[in-house]
Amino acid sequence: MRALFLIPGDGANQLQALPAVAATAEQLHFQIQVACHPSLMALWKLLPAVEKVIPFNFGDATLADWANLLGCVREPDFQACINLASGRQVDLMLSMSHIPNRMAAGGFSATETVQVPQGLWPAQALEAYLRPIGVSLDAAAFRLSLSKAALDEALATLPAGDGPMLLLAPSAGPDDWPAAAWQELPGRIAATLPGLRSLQVPPASPAHLPERAALVAASDVVLASDAVTIELALLSGTPVVALGRSSDSLPARSGVQGLGSPGPLRDLPSSDVLQALGLG
């Protein structure tokens, strides 16, 4: 038997759904198919439980695209659909499918309308979609499973040495923490922690998310405003200071800290960042 996940949105949205997809596969012994934007298909290589990824651009789909998607979902033996999309087109498509259990936050195609709680890490909030099919979710306990080869390759790209490894991942957006602050931070830390190793990386590319996941897992701590890198750190169990993230958008566990609020970070003091890293 199978479950279908319809997941619009960017890389961060996809990563936040990984624990829910994994829990469904494990607890129900289902095979899983995921429909997401074509540029994000490589991300799902991180989860072996996914047997097939269906490329679908929810934001710019034609009537023919919806018809093709309907053809894809009517043939396999789907028992459940977790629908994170919305709109008349997706409702029409699902209402013509043979899927008996269809969970969504709204829409006329839903057989179960779920109430998504506020004030939770988005990955944990997805439990609302799983309860109707008897699946429980502890998203904070989920960990990505990466191959030794991928981790070894990531380790080979890090600076040499045996000191703690700090991965810096700015978003590079107009409201991000200033570039000069990112560049100066390792030197300020090294003044009190001489063995520090650091590497600054650009925003995560959708085509190279598995490689970024290995790099995050190979680091000792991550400082990031890049949303995808933050989610990878949360799913890898790597300690992270997430710039521009409020505490209620993160799991409540040791080693995870939000700093600043969503919006401009240009005035965030470096002293606050150092303190969040435990070096203030």
Side-chain angles (χ1 to χ4, degrees):
M1 291 187 289
R2 292 178 172 89
L4 172 68
F5 282 75
L6 303 179
I7 311 176
D10 58 15
N13 295 127
Q14 305 296 311
L15 289 169
Q16 289 165 354
L18 256 70
V21 174
T24 303
E26 180 180 355
Q27 295 177 36
L28 298 181
H29 306 289
F30 275 15
Q31 293 176 306
I32 306 292
Q33 294 190 19
V34 172
C36 70
H37 193 279
S39 68
L40 299 170
M41 293 175 67
L43 179 154
W44 289 98
K45 294 179 182 178
L46 294 170
L47 195 61
V50 174
E51 65 164 351
K52 181 180 179 180
V53 183
I54 304 168
F56 193 79
N57 186 352
F58 289 92
D60 192 28
T62 66
L63 186 59
D65 294 330
W66 286 108
N68 289 335
L69 182 59
L70 176 61
C72 291
V73 306
R74 289 187 74 171
E75 292 182 8
D77 180 26
F78 287 112
Q79 294 299 305
C81 173
I82 287 77
N83 174 26
L84 305 185
S86 62
R88 181 173 178 81
Q89 292 91 342
V90 71
D91 279 324
L92 285 170
M93 187 274 295
L94 287 175
S95 66
M96 291 186 286
S97 74
H98 301 305
I99 305 174
N101 301 291
R102 304 185 297 269
M103 282 67 69
F108 62 81
S109 68
T111 60
E112 186 81 33
T113 300
V114 304
Q115 299 294 322
V116 183
Q118 303 299 310
L120 287 179
W121 177 32
Q124 183 59 43
L126 292 181
E127 185 179 29
Y129 291 84
L130 307 184
R131 288 197 195 105
I133 52 174
V135 175
S136 59
L137 179 62
D138 182 1
F142 174 83
R143 292 293 181 271
L144 289 172
S145 179
L146 302 173
S147 69
K148 183 179 184 300
L151 290 171
D152 287 345
E153 184 175 346
L155 287 168
T157 68
L158 299 179
D162 55 6
M165 175 63 214
L166 170 65
L167 186 69
L168 306 166
S171 70
D175 293 329
D176 195 17
W177 204 37
W182 285 102
Q183 294 164 3
E184 294 168 1
L185 187 70
R188 295 188 61 175
I189 296 175
T192 56
L193 196 62
L196 177 77
R197 296 175 295 148
S198 67
L199 177 67
Q200 183 168 318
V201 293
S205 164
H208 298 99
L209 288 185
E211 291 83 357
R212 176 59 59 87
L215 198 59
V216 167
S219 301
D220 294 302
V221 63
V222 171
L223 173 68
S225 55
D226 176 56
V228 166
T229 303
I230 291 170
E231 295 299 333
L232 286 171
L234 296 175
L235 299 178
S236 299
T238 303
V240 58
V241 174
L243 301 186
R245 291 285 292 268
S246 58
S247 59
D248 63 357
S249 71
L250 299 166
R253 70 167 186 252
S254 176
V256 173
Q257 183 169 347
L259 184 61
S261 57
L265 292 168
R266 303 199 65 82
D267 296 327
L268 182 66
S270 294
S271 57
D272 288 359
V273 177
L274 287 168
Q275 185 172 2
L277 290 166
L279 299 167

